[in-house]
Amino acid sequence: MAAYILKRLMLMIPTLFGVMLVTFSVTQFVPGGPVEQMINKLQGQGVGHEAVGSTVQLYRGNKGLDDEKLLELKTIYGFDKPAYQRFFKMMRDYATFDLGESYFHQRSVMELIISKLPVSITLGMWTFFLVYSLCIPLGIAKAIRDGSKFDVISSSVILVGYAIPGFVLGIFLLVLFGGGSFFDVFPLRGLVSDNWGELSWYGKISDYLWHITLPVVSLTVGSFAVMTMLTKNSFIEEIRKQYVLTARAKGLTENAVLYKHVFRNAMIPLVTGFPSAFIGAFFAGSILIESIFSLDGLGLLSYESILKRDYPVVLGTLYLFTLLGLVAKLLTDICYVLVDPRIQFESMNK
C-alpha cells in the first residue's frame, strides 16, 4: 500500500501542473485583463492623474498612455515578462504556498482565502453533517420498507426537493421567513449580528444558528435525494445477497442481520466517499446562495475574481482547490482498504 500511495503522490505533480498550465494558457487569451481594465479606467477619467502602486500621472489629458507608461503599468501587474517565465515563477511560488497578491484587493491571496473561510466552513460543515446524519437513517428505513407507503411518500418528497434549485428555495425562504410579505423570523444577511461581540456565549451560539438556518437549508435540501437513494439502493443490494439468507436461516434476529452483517457491507460506498464529500462541502459553496444571503465566502470571491480578471486569486484558489481534490481522492482510496480489507492495492499494481 505504501508503494501505491507514493505512486499516487508522484502522479499528483504532473496532474496539478497540467491543470495549472491549461488554466494559465487560457487566461493569456481572455480579453479585458487587468492592464486593459486599468487603461480604460484611466482614459475614462478625462484630464487628471491617478496613482497605481508606485506610478503617478499615468494618464495625461487626451493623449492616452505612452509606451513608457504602458510598460510601467505592465510591470506593476507582472506582464512585462514572457508568459512562460511568469508561469514557471508562479509554479515555484505555489510550491511554497506563496499564492501571490490580488490585483484589486491589495492583499495576499492566502490572506483573502483565510478571511473567506468562516463562511465556507460554516456552510460546508453544516451541509455535510445534516446530509449524512439524516440521509443515512432515512435510506436504511426506506430500504427496510421498500415499496411501502412510507417509501413512496418519502421518495416523492425528497425528489421534489431535489428538483427545486437551491437558489430558488433560498429566495422562497427569504420571502416567506425573512421579513417580506409573510413572517419576519430569520435575518436577511450575514453570519452574525452587528452586536455579536457583546452577546453572551449562549447568545452568540443562538445568533449564529439563527443566521445560518436559511442558507444551510437551501444548500442541504438538494443533496438529500442523492445520498438517501444511494443509501437505500446499497442496503437493498446487500439484503438480497445469499449471506443474508444464510444468516436468517441460522436463526439470527432481523436487527442482528441488518446491523451486524448488512450494515458494514452496505456502508462501504458511503464511508469511502467521506473524504471527498467533506473537503468538497467546505470549498464548493454555492455562489448564488452566498449572493442571496449576502455571505462573503470563497464562492463569491472566485466569481468576482473571474469578472475582474484578478488572475492571482483565480489561479491561486484553483491551485489550492485542485490540490485538496487530489488529496481527497487519495484518502478515498485509502478508506477503501480500511473499510474493506479484501481490497489490496499491491495486487492492482501487478
Side-chain angles (χ1 to χ4, degrees), residues 231-249:
T231 303
K232 175 190 173 182
N233 294 334
S234 180
F235 268 80
I236 289 178
E237 182 181 357
E238 292 297 325
I239 289 173
R240 294 172 178 173
K241 290 186 176 179
Q242 184 63 41
Y243 75 87
V244 176
L245 297 176
T246 303
R248 287 171 176 167

Side-chain angles (χ1 to χ4, degrees), residues 114-246:
I114 293 175
S115 67
K116 310 299 182 182
L117 275 180
V119 172
S120 299
I121 290 177
T122 291
L123 297 179
M125 178 183 66
W126 286 108
T127 301
F128 177 84
F129 173 75
L130 290 175
V131 167
Y132 273 88
S133 61
L134 297 179
C135 292
I136 291 178
L138 179 59
I140 296 174
K142 287 173 61 64
I144 298 174
R145 301 171 178 84
D146 184 35
S148 66
K149 184 180 295 186
F150 167 78
D151 181 38
V152 174
I153 295 176
S154 59
S155 295
S156 301
V157 172
I158 63 175
L159 289 176
V160 169
Y162 179 73
I164 301 176
F167 72 94
V168 174
L169 179 61
I171 295 174
F172 172 76
L173 292 176
L174 274 181
V175 173
L176 185 61
F177 298 110
S181 303
F182 299 94
F183 307 101
D184 187 5
V185 180
F186 296 100
L188 296 176
R189 58 179 60 87
L191 283 181
V192 294
S193 300
D194 294 335
N195 64 335
W196 188 79
E198 303 173 2
L199 301 175
S200 63
W201 68 268
Y202 175 80
K204 290 181 178 180
I205 295 176
S206 301
D207 184 75
Y208 167 74
L209 295 176
W210 181 47
H211 278 76
I212 68 170
T213 298
L214 295 186
V216 168
V217 169
S218 303
L219 279 175
T220 303
V221 169
S223 304
F224 266 50
V226 175
M227 185 58 61
T228 301
M229 300 309 295
L230 178 61
T231 303
K232 175 190 173 182
N233 294 334
S234 180
F235 268 80
I236 289 178
E237 182 181 357
E238 292 297 325
I239 289 173
R240 294 172 178 173
K241 290 186 176 179
Q242 184 63 41
Y243 75 87
V244 176
L245 297 176
T246 303

